[in-house]
Amino acid sequence: MPDSGPLGPSIPGQRSKATTAVPDVPTPAVPDLPTAAAAFGLAALPRPPITPPSPPPPATGTLPTPAAAEPSLQRVLGGPTGLGTSSLSLAGTSQPTSTPSPPPPVASTETAAAPVSDTAFQRVLGGPTGLGTSSLSLAHTPQPLLTGPAPVLPAATRPAEGQAVPGLYHHPVPEPDPARVEEVSSRIKRWAEDEVQLYPEEWEGQFDGFSVGRYMVGCHPDAPTVDHLMIATRLMVAENAVDDCYCEDHGGSPVGLGGRLLLAHTALDPLHTTPEYAPAWEESLGSDPPRRAYRSAMDYFVRMATPSQIDRYRHDMARLHLGYLAEAAWAETDHVPEVWEYLAMRQFNNFRPCPTITDTIGGYELPADLHARPEMQRVIALAGNATTIVNDLYSYTKELAAPGRHLNLPVVIAEREQLSERDGYLKAVEVHNELMHAFEAAAADLAAACPLPPVVRFLKGVAAWVDGNHDWHRTNTYRYSLPAFW
């Protein structure tokens, strides 16, 4: 994962024990998502109704086909409305004005996303063909969601303190609901201390300073319950524990990292072996805090997620671990990668596992065929890349003050392109802005081509995660401070 911060060194292990259930905090009853996807006009689209998961309700309608959603498409192309939004219309020619100057075209070996094939989407919507498959058509079967009222964002309040990186393209978000933040923070601390024994007492202040409750509430504004938010929160804390204790300065090292990561990965993707050797593997899952955290967080996740969502998450965590290994290999050989090589590594060692499960946390499912579409994969990849560069920018001074050399985009640009530290940092801001514009354009194109409710809601969820991630970095002054380059 990107910069995480200490969650505590390895301490003697104990078996997990259940915590006492705490009543949920109700979803705030205030206006619908106002800014999560403002840049590509999705905020105006209605959220699909939330219906019971078990047993599924009888079908009450059909999902609209792309041809049946012309008004929604016009809203997408027209962009958001209201004060200060005129430059965000996708139907016009002007660029968003949150950056000092219009961004240049994104330079990439992968060209801009090809136009979405209507025929291809019709095949996806139609589902498989053949004996016994008639009930699997996505075009005729509504997706069951959770019961209860549709979740909405809290009312906007004065934003928390913290300066945004000057010139960084981003969207402001409302303050996360304080009742939810308090409840998630309380629950995650009990989980860390009582269920997985994640850190010793002397690390408590740093765990609190991570502000993971505020982080996850801000990134998942459509979560129906605190239980859903806790799924994301446990996974986030577990991922950071692995990064800290295996990769970084709190017991971590690039030497032997591959073996540690592989064994930890079996807490997410279980080992299927013979009865003779299974007990030793089971025992290993409680041998250190990272593996205890992975195992426990995954146990909670699989209870709420569908099989395809679980497999998707495992795949993205394997991507994350591959990125860890690339960075570790460069550290062992003292190699500073080319800028494009660093960006390739960051596409794997990044936040992708977090926004990719936004539908699980929202209480619905984006069907596997739609999630796997190249157009959707491009959106998710660009979101992960942009949010990870945000981390590089906000953690820059923190990493410079740490022992050894930490690779981040400003450092790599400055060294490889022979720029000053300031100019390397400012160019990294430009790279982030290009990635953000590419993300928003790709999301808008996909929403226009396939305006199905689960697709549109998933895109809104990913955009909300992008915005919430930036806001957490901006406001976490316990961890981050900006360089004096302005």
Side-chain angles (χ1 to χ4, degrees):
M1 286 289 288
D3 159 67
S4 52
L7 294 178
S10 178
I11 56 177
Q14 302 177 25
R15 302 305 296 173
S16 298
K17 58 182 178 180
T19 56
T20 303
V22 176
D24 191 22
V25 175
T27 302
V30 285
D32 195 10
L33 298 174
T35 60
F40 48 91
L42 295 180
L45 294 175
R47 188 166 26 252
I50 299 181
T51 53
S54 177
T60 57
T62 59
L63 295 177
T65 60
E70 195 62 30
S72 295
L73 291 181
Q74 291 303 318
R75 286 196 295 272
V76 170
L77 296 175
T81 58
L83 184 64
T85 63
S86 60
S87 66
L88 300 180
S89 171
L90 296 170
T93 57
S94 61
Q95 292 291 327
T97 56
S98 297
T99 51
S101 60
V106 177
S108 173
T109 54
E110 178 185 359
T111 58
V116 180
S117 166
D118 290 338
T119 302
F121 270 117
Q122 287 302 322
R123 285 198 298 270
V124 171
L125 299 177
T129 59
L131 185 64
T133 62
S134 61
S135 65
L136 301 181
S137 169
L138 293 174
H140 302 290
T141 306
Q143 297 298 309
L145 304 176
L146 289 176
T147 187
V152 287
L153 276 175
T157 58
R158 189 174 70 88
E161 297 298 326
Q163 179 187 358
V165 172
L168 192 76
Y169 179 75
H170 67 280
H171 304 293
V173 300
E175 273 296 287
D177 174 37
R180 284 194 159 196
V181 170
E182 182 179 0
E183 180 64 19
V184 171
S185 299
S186 175
R187 289 196 195 187
I188 193 61
K189 193 167 183 179
R190 287 197 302 273
W191 174 80
E193 292 178 343
D194 299 337
E195 290 194 49
V196 297
Q197 299 82 47
L198 189 64
Y199 59 87
E201 185 177 352
E202 58 266 26
W203 291 92
E204 183 177 11
Q206 296 188 42
F207 184 87
D208 293 342
F210 192 79
S211 301
V212 69
R214 188 181 194 281
Y215 196 176
M216 293 296 96
V217 174
C219 285
H220 295 285
D222 70 338
T225 69
V226 170
D227 286 338
H228 287 80
L229 287 167
M230 285 303 300
I231 297 299
T233 308
R234 292 187 200 93
L235 291 172
M236 166 64 79
V237 170
E239 291 161 19
N240 280 287
V242 169
D243 191 18
D244 286 338
C245 297
Y246 284 3
C247 307
E248 298 290 347
D249 302 324
H250 309 290
S253 167
V255 179
L257 178 60
R260 296 192 297 275
L261 284 179
L262 180 125
L263 295 179
H265 194 82
T266 66
L268 309 175
D269 197 351
L271 177 64
H272 301 277
T273 188
T274 63
E276 179 182 359
Y277 299 108
W281 166 69
E282 285 278 356
E283 184 178 0
S284 77
L285 298 180
S287 61
D288 63 13
R291 276 184 273 188
R292 289 197 297 272
Y294 260 6
R295 183 187 194 184
S296 177
M298 194 67 179
D299 283 347
Y300 282 101
F301 177 63
V302 299
R303 297 174 203 168
M304 192 169 287
T306 67
S308 66
Q309 289 171 328
I310 296 165
D311 190 62
R312 178 203 308 173
Y313 180 75
R314 287 172 176 150
H315 186 191
D316 281 342
M317 288 301 292
R319 284 179 162 127
L320 174 65
H321 294 158
L322 179 62
Y324 285 170
L325 292 174
E327 188 171 31
W330 292 339
E332 284 194 279
T333 59
D334 199 28
H335 172 66
V336 177
E338 298 287 349
V339 176
W340 72 265
E341 291 176 319
Y342 178 82
L343 292 172
M345 181 273 292
R346 270 314 218 180
Q347 180 160 311
F348 292 84
N349 179 3
N350 78 4
F351 286 115
R352 182 187 178 116
C354 304
T356 200
I357 61 169
T358 187
D359 54 338
T360 306
I361 311 309
Y364 66 100
E365 180 179 16
L366 177 68
D369 283 350
L370 294 175
H371 179 269
R373 291 290 307 171
E375 302 85 358
M376 182 64 77
Q377 290 296 299
R378 174 170 169 79
V379 169
I380 296 169
L382 287 167
N385 293 348
T387 54
T388 303
I389 303 310
V390 163
N391 182 266
D392 278 11
L393 294 168
Y394 280 93
S395 64
Y396 177 76
T397 58
K398 178 175 176 284
E399 292 182 346
L400 286 184
R405 177 167 60 181
H406 289 259
L407 292 181
N408 56 55
L409 186 58
V411 166
V412 173
I413 289 176
E415 181 156 341
R416 281 298 185 180
E417 300 186 3
Q418 298 184 342
L419 299 176
S420 67
E421 290 183 356
R422 177 182 182 277
D423 288 345
Y425 190 93
L426 297 181
K427 186 166 183 181
V429 173
E430 295 176 7
V431 172
H432 165 271
N433 293 348
E434 290 185 33
L435 290 170
M436 275 291 290
H437 288 295
F439 157 67
E440 292 177 350
D445 288 346
L446 180 53
C450 187
L452 291 170
V455 171
V456 172
R457 188 175 178 190
F458 187 84
L459 293 172
K460 289 172 68 175
V462 173
W465 205 96
V466 169
D467 293 345
N469 175 76
H470 171 267
D471 190 67
W472 175 79
H473 280 86
R474 176 187 67 82
T475 58
N476 197 328
T477 54
Y478 174 88
R479 296 170 53 80
Y480 304 123
S481 61
L482 299 184
F485 289 152
W486 299 275

Short mmCIF file of all heavy atoms in Angstrom, two decimals, residues 329-364:
data_model
loop_
_atom_site.label_atom_id
_atom_site.label_comp_id
_atom_site.label_asym_id
_atom_site.label_seq_id
_atom_site.Cartn_x
_atom_site.Cartn_y
_atom_site.Cartn_z
N ALA A 329 12.59 -4.96 -4.57
CA ALA A 329 13.72 -5.33 -5.42
C ALA A 329 14.57 -4.11 -5.76
O ALA A 329 15.81 -4.18 -5.76
CB ALA A 329 13.20 -5.99 -6.69
N TRP A 330 13.92 -2.98 -6.03
CA TRP A 330 14.67 -1.76 -6.32
C TRP A 330 15.44 -1.29 -5.08
O TRP A 330 16.55 -0.77 -5.19
CB TRP A 330 13.73 -0.66 -6.81
CG TRP A 330 13.15 -0.96 -8.17
CD1 TRP A 330 13.65 -1.81 -9.11
CD2 TRP A 330 11.95 -0.41 -8.71
NE1 TRP A 330 12.84 -1.82 -10.21
CE2 TRP A 330 11.80 -0.97 -10.01
CE3 TRP A 330 10.99 0.48 -8.27
CZ2 TRP A 330 10.72 -0.65 -10.84
CZ3 TRP A 330 9.92 0.81 -9.09
CH2 TRP A 330 9.79 0.25 -10.36
N ALA A 331 14.83 -1.45 -3.90
CA ALA A 331 15.52 -1.05 -2.68
C ALA A 331 16.76 -1.90 -2.43
O ALA A 331 17.81 -1.40 -2.01
CB ALA A 331 14.57 -1.15 -1.49
N GLU A 332 16.66 -3.20 -2.71
CA GLU A 332 17.80 -4.10 -2.51
C GLU A 332 18.97 -3.75 -3.42
O GLU A 332 20.13 -3.92 -3.04
CB GLU A 332 17.37 -5.54 -2.73
CG GLU A 332 16.58 -6.14 -1.58
CD GLU A 332 16.48 -7.65 -1.69
OE1 GLU A 332 15.62 -8.13 -2.46
OE2 GLU A 332 17.27 -8.35 -1.03
N THR A 333 18.67 -3.29 -4.62
CA THR A 333 19.74 -2.98 -5.58
C THR A 333 20.04 -1.48 -5.66
O THR A 333 20.83 -1.06 -6.50
CB THR A 333 19.33 -3.48 -6.98
OG1 THR A 333 18.10 -2.87 -7.38
CG2 THR A 333 19.16 -5.00 -6.97
N ASP A 334 19.39 -0.69 -4.79
CA ASP A 334 19.57 0.77 -4.78
C ASP A 334 19.30 1.36 -6.17
O ASP A 334 20.02 2.24 -6.63
CB ASP A 334 20.98 1.12 -4.32
CG ASP A 334 21.07 2.58 -3.86
OD1 ASP A 334 20.04 3.11 -3.40
OD2 ASP A 334 22.14 3.18 -3.98
N HIS A 335 18.24 0.89 -6.80
CA HIS A 335 17.88 1.33 -8.15
C HIS A 335 16.81 2.42 -8.09
O HIS A 335 15.80 2.26 -7.40
CB HIS A 335 17.34 0.14 -8.95
CG HIS A 335 16.78 0.51 -10.29
ND1 HIS A 335 17.55 1.00 -11.31
CD2 HIS A 335 15.49 0.44 -10.78
CE1 HIS A 335 16.78 1.23 -12.36
NE2 HIS A 335 15.54 0.90 -12.07
N VAL A 336 17.05 3.50 -8.79
CA VAL A 336 16.03 4.53 -8.97
C VAL A 336 15.40 4.30 -10.34
O VAL A 336 16.07 4.44 -11.36
CB VAL A 336 16.62 5.94 -8.88
CG1 VAL A 336 15.53 6.99 -9.14
CG2 VAL A 336 17.24 6.18 -7.51
N PRO A 337 14.14 3.93 -10.40
CA PRO A 337 13.53 3.60 -11.68
C PRO A 337 13.33 4.83 -12.55
O PRO A 337 13.34 5.97 -12.07
CB PRO A 337 12.18 2.99 -11.27
CG PRO A 337 11.87 3.66 -9.97
CD PRO A 337 13.19 3.82 -9.28
N GLU A 338 13.16 4.60 -13.83
CA GLU A 338 12.70 5.66 -14.71
C GLU A 338 11.29 6.08 -14.26
O GLU A 338 10.59 5.32 -13.57
CB GLU A 338 12.65 5.19 -16.16
CG GLU A 338 13.99 4.78 -16.74
CD GLU A 338 14.91 5.97 -17.02
OE1 GLU A 338 14.42 7.13 -16.97
OE2 GLU A 338 16.10 5.75 -17.27
N VAL A 339 10.87 7.26 -14.64
CA VAL A 339 9.57 7.75 -14.19
C VAL A 339 8.46 6.81 -14.64
O VAL A 339 7.56 6.46 -13.87
CB VAL A 339 9.32 9.18 -14.69
CG1 VAL A 339 7.91 9.64 -14.30
CG2 VAL A 339 10.36 10.15 -14.13
N TRP A 340 8.50 6.35 -15.87
CA TRP A 340 7.44 5.46 -16.36
C TRP A 340 7.48 4.12 -15.61
O TRP A 340 6.43 3.52 -15.36
CB TRP A 340 7.55 5.25 -17.87
CG TRP A 340 8.71 4.40 -18.33
CD1 TRP A 340 9.93 4.81 -18.75
CD2 TRP A 340 8.72 2.96 -18.41
NE1 TRP A 340 10.73 3.74 -19.08
CE2 TRP A 340 10.01 2.59 -18.88
CE3 TRP A 340 7.80 1.96 -18.11
CZ2 TRP A 340 10.38 1.25 -19.08
CZ3 TRP A 340 8.17 0.63 -18.31
CH2 TRP A 340 9.45 0.29 -18.79
N GLU A 341 8.71 3.68 -15.23
CA GLU A 341 8.80 2.44 -14.46
C GLU A 341 8.18 2.61 -13.07
O GLU A 341 7.49 1.73 -12.56
CB GLU A 341 10.27 2.02 -14.32
CG GLU A 341 10.91 1.56 -15.61
CD GLU A 341 12.38 1.25 -15.43
OE1 GLU A 341 13.08 2.00 -14.71
OE2 GLU A 341 12.83 0.22 -15.99
N TYR A 342 8.46 3.76 -12.46
CA TYR A 342 7.88 4.03 -11.15
C TYR A 342 6.36 4.05 -11.23
O TYR A 342 5.66 3.47 -10.37
CB TYR A 342 8.39 5.36 -10.60
CG TYR A 342 7.77 5.70 -9.26
CD1 TYR A 342 8.26 5.16 -8.08
CD2 TYR A 342 6.66 6.55 -9.19
CE1 TYR A 342 7.68 5.44 -6.86
CE2 TYR A 342 6.07 6.83 -7.97
CZ TYR A 342 6.59 6.28 -6.81
OH TYR A 342 6.00 6.55 -5.61
N LEU A 343 5.81 4.70 -12.26
CA LEU A 343 4.36 4.75 -12.41
C LEU A 343 3.77 3.37 -12.65
O LEU A 343 2.65 3.07 -12.22
CB LEU A 343 3.98 5.71 -13.54
CG LEU A 343 4.27 7.19 -13.25
CD1 LEU A 343 4.05 8.03 -14.51
CD2 LEU A 343 3.39 7.72 -12.11
N ALA A 344 4.51 2.52 -13.35
CA ALA A 344 4.05 1.14 -13.54
C ALA A 344 3.99 0.41 -12.20
O ALA A 344 3.03 -0.31 -11.90
CB ALA A 344 4.97 0.40 -14.51
N MET A 345 5.03 0.59 -11.37
CA MET A 345 5.01 -0.03 -10.04
C MET A 345 3.84 0.49 -9.21
O MET A 345 3.14 -0.27 -8.53
CB MET A 345 6.34 0.24 -9.33
CG MET A 345 6.46 -0.37 -7.95
SD MET A 345 5.80 0.68 -6.61
CE MET A 345 6.98 2.03 -6.61
N ARG A 346 3.59 1.80 -9.30
CA ARG A 346 2.54 2.40 -8.50
C ARG A 346 1.14 1.97 -8.96
O ARG A 346 0.17 2.10 -8.21
CB ARG A 346 2.66 3.91 -8.53
CG ARG A 346 3.53 4.51 -7.45
CD ARG A 346 3.27 3.96 -6.10
NE ARG A 346 3.36 4.96 -5.03
CZ ARG A 346 3.17 4.70 -3.77
NH1 ARG A 346 2.86 3.47 -3.38
NH2 ARG A 346 3.26 5.63 -2.85
N GLN A 347 1.02 1.50 -10.18
CA GLN A 347 -0.28 0.97 -10.60
C GLN A 347 -0.61 -0.33 -9.87
O GLN A 347 -1.77 -0.71 -9.79
CB GLN A 347 -0.33 0.75 -12.11
CG GLN A 347 -1.68 0.20 -12.59
CD GLN A 347 -1.92 0.42 -14.05
OE1 GLN A 347 -1.75 1.51 -14.58
NE2 GLN A 347 -2.31 -0.64 -14.75
N PHE A 348 0.39 -0.99 -9.32
CA PHE A 348 0.18 -2.21 -8.55
C PHE A 348 0.26 -1.92 -7.05
O PHE A 348 -0.61 -2.34 -6.28
CB PHE A 348 1.19 -3.27 -8.97
CG PHE A 348 0.94 -3.75 -10.38
CD1 PHE A 348 1.45 -3.06 -11.48
CD2 PHE A 348 0.18 -4.88 -10.61
CE1 PHE A 348 1.20 -3.49 -12.77
CE2 PHE A 348 -0.07 -5.32 -11.90
CZ PHE A 348 0.44 -4.63 -12.99
N ASN A 349 1.30 -1.22 -6.63
CA ASN A 349 1.44 -0.84 -5.22
C ASN A 349 0.64 0.44 -5.01
O ASN A 349 1.18 1.54 -4.95
CB ASN A 349 2.92 -0.62 -4.90
CG ASN A 349 3.14 -0.20 -3.46
OD1 ASN A 349 2.22 -0.12 -2.66
ND2 ASN A 349 4.39 0.09 -3.13
N ASN A 350 -0.69 0.28 -4.92
CA ASN A 350 -1.52 1.47 -4.77
C ASN A 350 -2.82 1.14 -4.04
O ASN A 350 -3.00 0.06 -3.50
CB ASN A 350 -1.74 2.16 -6.12
CG ASN A 350 -2.77 1.50 -7.01
OD1 ASN A 350 -3.44 0.53 -6.65
ND2 ASN A 350 -2.92 2.04 -8.21
N PHE A 351 -3.74 2.08 -4.05
CA PHE A 351 -4.98 1.97 -3.28
C PHE A 351 -6.06 1.12 -3.96
O PHE A 351 -7.16 1.02 -3.43
CB PHE A 351 -5.56 3.37 -3.04
CG PHE A 351 -4.83 4.18 -2.02
CD1 PHE A 351 -4.18 5.35 -2.38
CD2 PHE A 351 -4.82 3.80 -0.69
CE1 PHE A 351 -3.52 6.13 -1.42
CE2 PHE A 351 -4.16 4.57 0.27
CZ PHE A 351 -3.52 5.73 -0.10
N ARG A 352 -5.79 0.54 -5.10
CA ARG A 352 -6.83 -0.11 -5.88
C ARG A 352 -7.74 -1.07 -5.09
O ARG A 352 -8.95 -1.09 -5.32
CB ARG A 352 -6.19 -0.85 -7.06
CG ARG A 352 -7.22 -1.53 -7.95
CD ARG A 352 -6.55 -2.41 -9.01
NE ARG A 352 -7.55 -3.08 -9.81
CZ ARG A 352 -7.72 -2.89 -11.12
NH1 ARG A 352 -6.95 -2.05 -11.76
NH2 ARG A 352 -8.66 -3.54 -11.77
N PRO A 353 -7.21 -1.90 -4.16
CA PRO A 353 -8.12 -2.81 -3.45
C PRO A 353 -9.23 -2.09 -2.67
O PRO A 353 -10.24 -2.71 -2.35
CB PRO A 353 -7.18 -3.55 -2.49
CG PRO A 353 -5.84 -3.51 -3.15
CD PRO A 353 -5.79 -2.16 -3.80
N CYS A 354 -9.05 -0.82 -2.37
CA CYS A 354 -10.05 -0.09 -1.58
C CYS A 354 -11.25 0.37 -2.42
O CYS A 354 -12.38 -0.01 -2.12
CB CYS A 354 -9.39 1.09 -0.87
SG CYS A 354 -8.00 0.63 0.17
N PRO A 355 -11.07 1.14 -3.48
CA PRO A 355 -12.26 1.53 -4.27
C PRO A 355 -12.87 0.39 -5.05
O PRO A 355 -14.05 0.47 -5.41
CB PRO A 355 -11.71 2.62 -5.21
CG PRO A 355 -10.24 2.39 -5.29
CD PRO A 355 -9.86 1.85 -3.94
N THR A 356 -12.13 -0.68 -5.32
CA THR A 356 -12.69 -1.76 -6.13
C THR A 356 -13.78 -2.52 -5.38
O THR A 356 -14.56 -3.25 -5.99
CB THR A 356 -11.58 -2.71 -6.60
OG1 THR A 356 -12.05 -3.45 -7.73
CG2 THR A 356 -11.20 -3.70 -5.52
N ILE A 357 -13.87 -2.38 -4.05
CA ILE A 357 -14.93 -3.04 -3.29
C ILE A 357 -16.01 -2.05 -2.87
O ILE A 357 -16.79 -2.32 -1.95
CB ILE A 357 -14.37 -3.77 -2.05
CG1 ILE A 357 -13.68 -2.81 -1.09
CG2 ILE A 357 -13.43 -4.89 -2.46
CD1 ILE A 357 -13.35 -3.41 0.26
N THR A 358 -16.10 -0.93 -3.56
CA THR A 358 -17.09 0.08 -3.16
C THR A 358 -18.51 -0.45 -3.25
O THR A 358 -19.38 0.01 -2.52
CB THR A 358 -16.91 1.35 -4.02
OG1 THR A 358 -17.77 2.38 -3.53
CG2 THR A 358 -17.25 1.10 -5.48
N ASP A 359 -18.78 -1.42 -4.14
CA ASP A 359 -20.15 -1.96 -4.21
C ASP A 359 -20.45 -2.84 -3.00
O ASP A 359 -21.57 -2.80 -2.48
CB ASP A 359 -20.38 -2.71 -5.51
CG ASP A 359 -19.37 -3.80 -5.80
OD1 ASP A 359 -18.25 -3.76 -5.24
OD2 ASP A 359 -19.67 -4.70 -6.61
N THR A 360 -19.49 -3.61 -2.53
CA THR A 360 -19.72 -4.39 -1.31
C THR A 360 -20.04 -3.47 -0.14
O THR A 360 -20.98 -3.72 0.62
CB THR A 360 -18.48 -5.23 -0.96
OG1 THR A 360 -18.10 -6.03 -2.07
CG2 THR A 360 -18.74 -6.12 0.24
N ILE A 361 -19.28 -2.40 0.01
CA ILE A 361 -19.50 -1.48 1.12
C ILE A 361 -20.81 -0.73 0.93
O ILE A 361 -21.45 -0.33 1.90
CB ILE A 361 -18.32 -0.50 1.25
CG1 ILE A 361 -16.98 -1.26 1.23
CG2 ILE A 361 -18.44 0.32 2.53
CD1 ILE A 361 -16.89 -2.42 2.20
N GLY A 362 -21.23 -0.53 -0.31
CA GLY A 362 -22.50 0.12 -0.58
C GLY A 362 -23.70 -0.81 -0.47
O GLY A 362 -24.84 -0.36 -0.56
N GLY A 363 -23.47 -2.12 -0.31
CA GLY A 363 -24.57 -3.05 -0.12
C GLY A 363 -25.21 -3.54 -1.40
O GLY A 363 -26.39 -3.91 -1.40
N TYR A 364 -24.47 -3.55 -2.51
CA TYR A 364 -25.00 -4.04 -3.78
C TYR A 364 -23.85 -4.73 -4.51
O TYR A 364 -22.74 -4.82 -3.99
CB TYR A 364 -25.59 -2.90 -4.62
CG TYR A 364 -24.56 -1.89 -5.09
CD1 TYR A 364 -24.05 -1.92 -6.39
CD2 TYR A 364 -24.06 -0.91 -4.23
CE1 TYR A 364 -23.10 -1.01 -6.81
CE2 TYR A 364 -23.11 0.01 -4.64
CZ TYR A 364 -22.63 -0.04 -5.94
OH TYR A 364 -21.68 0.85 -6.36
#
